[in-house]
Amino acid sequence: MMSKPTSPLKRMSLAEEVAGLLQDAIESGRYRVDDQLPPEPELMVQFGVGRSSIREAVKILANRGFVKVQQGLGTFVTSQNGSGEPLTQRLQRADFEDLNEVRLVLEVKIAEKAALLRSKKDVEKMKGFLKKRYEYAVSNQLEACIQADINFHSTIAEAAKNELMIELYGTVANMLKQAFVQRYGNTDTFKETQELHEALLHAIADKDPKKAWSCATKIATHGR
């Protein structure tokens, strides 16, 4: 049995909050495949919400592929992984470390491809964003520096000519932006890695995928 949440649920999206808590319970194995979820009255007491919120939460889980409602019998777990949750919602629920790791893996592969497929126009855009990144780093303008960094890597993604990579990288990086502001506090790390980024740019400009891979890997593992 799940214990009652210790903090109040946000009133703007009670059903989503309940669905998220139940989904966490399913994914963690507290509820396994073929297990029946508690009946509505019990869930209402457990989460401190009304019947409509519980029903909407169950509908959300059903749409995501976690449960199936059997009329007259109850709601049963059908999968511990789900199948229908939009990727953007899944990314929003991800831990910072997991999300950041995805970003770094993407950057390495994107750099390699960009070195093979980049155009002169792509390189000029990269130079512009990298110059801004440095200027903002030196003047300790953290948010602007982070955005310039994201723009630099996003331009590399564009040069890689893979629409899925472009979209996925952009989504992941922008979700992490505010977390970066809170974690870094200043632009010291960006100043430290400026030379690595310049080396990456040169590798891409020289159409050297091996060196681009190496530079991107060094950036991804800096400070670890």
Side-chain angles (χ1 to χ4, degrees):
M1 292 290 294
M2 294 174 60
S3 59
K4 187 174 180 179
T6 56
S7 57
L9 299 177
K10 296 177 182 178
R11 288 213 158 273
M12 288 183 67
S13 55
L14 285 174
E16 281 285 350
E17 292 281 348
V18 171
L21 291 169
L22 286 172
Q23 183 172 321
D24 288 343
I26 293 170
E27 290 179 329
S28 69
R30 272 186 259 178
Y31 294 117
R32 299 185 179 278
V33 174
D34 294 331
D35 281 355
Q36 183 177 2
L37 293 186
E40 283 183 0
E42 188 174 330
L43 290 175
M44 289 165 61
V45 172
Q46 186 172 313
F47 293 106
V49 299
R51 188 179 302 274
S52 61
S53 294
I54 295 299
R55 289 183 175 177
E56 182 61 26
V58 169
K59 187 184 295 184
I60 291 169
L61 289 176
N63 289 337
R64 292 176 183 175
F66 284 95
V67 302
K68 182 178 181 180
V69 179
Q70 296 186 30
Q71 294 299 327
L73 296 176
T75 302
F76 296 84
V77 177
T78 55
S79 171
Q80 285 186 265
N81 301 311
S83 61
E85 182 179 15
L87 180 59
T88 52
Q89 289 185 18
R90 181 63 188 91
L91 292 174
Q92 286 172 347
R93 293 194 302 103
D95 292 336
F96 172 86
E97 295 300 336
D98 289 344
L99 199 57
N100 196 38
E101 188 173 12
V102 170
R103 178 186 68 90
L104 296 175
V105 169
L106 282 171
E107 285 182 358
V108 172
K109 183 60 182 176
I110 283 169
E112 182 189 40
K113 275 202 77 180
L116 293 170
L117 302 174
R118 67 49 171 189
S119 66
K120 288 183 179 179
K121 186 177 179 181
D122 291 326
V123 173
E124 289 305 311
K125 285 179 69 177
M126 291 175 209
K127 286 180 179 178
F129 287 126
L130 193 55
K131 183 173 182 289
K132 289 181 179 179
R133 180 188 190 275
Y134 176 72
E135 290 171 352
Y136 291 134
V138 170
S139 58
N140 198 31
Q141 297 182 59
L142 182 58
E143 289 195 46
C145 185
I146 290 171
Q147 187 59 59
D149 182 81
I150 291 173
N151 292 342
F152 172 72
H153 287 286
S154 295
T155 302
I156 296 175
E158 291 170 10
K161 306 296 189 290
N162 184 314
E163 293 297 326
L164 285 177
M165 280 188 181
I166 294 170
E167 185 175 349
L168 183 56
Y169 179 80
T171 300
V172 171
N174 284 315
M175 284 185 178
L176 285 167
K177 182 179 176 181
Q178 194 54 42
F180 287 159
V181 173
Q182 295 171 352
R183 280 175 175 258
Y184 287 119
N186 58 54
T187 58
D188 288 351
T189 296
F190 294 88
K191 286 185 283 188
E192 291 170 9
T193 59
Q194 183 69 19
E195 286 188 11
L196 289 175
H197 282 74
E198 289 173 356
L200 172 59
L201 172 60
H202 291 149
I204 293 172
D206 293 340
K207 291 197 168 185
D208 188 338
K210 273 188 162 183
K211 189 173 180 182
W213 176 284
S214 175
C215 291
T217 301
K218 287 177 182 178
I219 291 171
T221 55
H222 177 268
R224 290 188 176 185

